Structure formats: structure tokens, C-alpha cells
Amino acid sequence: MKNKFNQLFKSVSEVEPSVDLIGFIFARIEKEKIRKSKRQLFFSYIGLSSSVLLTVFSWIFFGQTFLQSEFWTIFSLIFSDIVIVLKNLDTFFLSLLETFPFVHAAIFLVPVFLLLFFADYYLSNKANRKYKFNLLTH
């Protein structure tokens, strides 16, 4: 069986693509890689700008309620009545924990996390474009 395959393929001449075809194929592959890189950079621009806007809006809407919570009133006792705070340290920490606005902090930290994620995505895409494809991004 193996000999039959060898006999069969010996009669077929090897097909070599022309040099122009090889160059054309590699140029198209390179062009597609550059287009993919541009598309990734565009999405990183959109993600970065939207996460910046989302962070600003969350700071405006949830930052005020976070700053106006009772947590800051109790926390300010550290600066005014440090002796009382040290005498009642366990109660002080429990009341801080009780009045901390966790929901507002979580709502604010999600856009900050997205901002950091998209900043990393943008910087890595920009570096790939610059060094991998020898292109300057503006």
C-alpha cells in the first residue's frame, strides 16, 4: 500500500508558486495584521474614553454621598479626640465598619478597575503597533 502511494506521487510534479504570488500573499497577511492592530487600537480608544467618562460620572454621583456619609464624621474623631478613640478602639473600628458606605465604594471602584484595564489594553496595543509593525501611532 505504501509503495502505491509513493508511485502515485512520483509522477506528480511539484507545484511551486511564483515569487510574485508569495510576495502578494505575505503582503496581504501583513496588511491584515496591521488592520487588526488598528481595529484593536480603535477599540482600546473607545474603551479608555468610555471608562474615563464612567469614572468621572461615578465620582460625581456616588462620591458626594460617600463623602457625606457618617463614616467621615466618625473618622474625623481621630484628628480631634485621639485620646477617646484610643480608649475605645474596638468600638471605634466597629462603628467605622458599620458606617462605611460599601455599596458606593464598590460602585466607584468598578469604573476605576475598567479604567485601569483599558489603559493597559491601550498601552499594550500601542506598543505592539509601534514595535511589531514599525508604525508610529498618533
Side-chain angles (χ1 to χ4, degrees):
M1 183 85 167
K2 190 175 183 180
N3 289 334
K4 289 182 183 178
F5 282 124
N6 287 339
Q7 294 289 336
L8 179 67
F9 288 114
K10 278 186 179 180
S11 63
V12 175
S13 64
E14 290 187 26
V15 177
E16 287 290 324
S18 67
V19 177
D20 294 336
L21 181 62
I22 292 173
F24 177 74
I25 290 172
F26 283 131
R28 290 288 296 212
I29 290 171
E30 189 70 21
K31 193 182 287 187
E32 186 63 32
K33 284 182 182 179
I34 290 171
R35 200 166 75 190
K36 180 182 175 188
S37 173
K38 285 181 182 179
R39 190 172 44 244
Q40 286 177 341
L41 194 61
F42 174 74
F43 285 127
S44 66
Y45 282 141
I46 289 178
L48 189 61
S49 61
S50 64
S51 64
V52 165
L53 288 174
L54 193 61
T55 303
V56 168
F57 285 134
S58 69
W59 175 258
I60 290 170
F61 292 122
F62 299 110
Q64 290 176 348
T65 57
F66 184 76
L67 293 175
Q68 293 171 352
S69 68
E70 284 294 315
F71 174 79
W72 296 109
T73 308
I74 295 172
F75 188 74
S76 67
L77 289 174
I78 291 177
F79 303 111
S80 61
D81 298 325
I82 189 70
V83 176
I84 296 172
V85 168
L86 290 176
K87 284 182 183 176
N88 302 309
L89 199 58
D90 57 340
T91 309
F92 176 73
F93 281 128
L94 286 175
S95 60
L96 276 180
L97 189 62
E98 182 180 317
T99 59
F100 186 77
F102 287 105
V103 173
H104 297 292
I107 288 172
F108 179 69
L109 288 177
V110 168
V112 170
F113 174 74
L114 287 174
L115 177 70
L116 293 174
F117 175 76
F118 280 114
D120 176 56
Y121 187 63
Y122 167 74
L123 292 174
S124 65
N125 282 329
K126 192 170 184 178
N128 277 346
R129 251 184 84 105
K130 186 176 181 182
Y131 296 115
K132 197 172 184 180
F133 300 115
N134 293 324
L135 297 173
L136 295 175
T137 56
H138 299 293

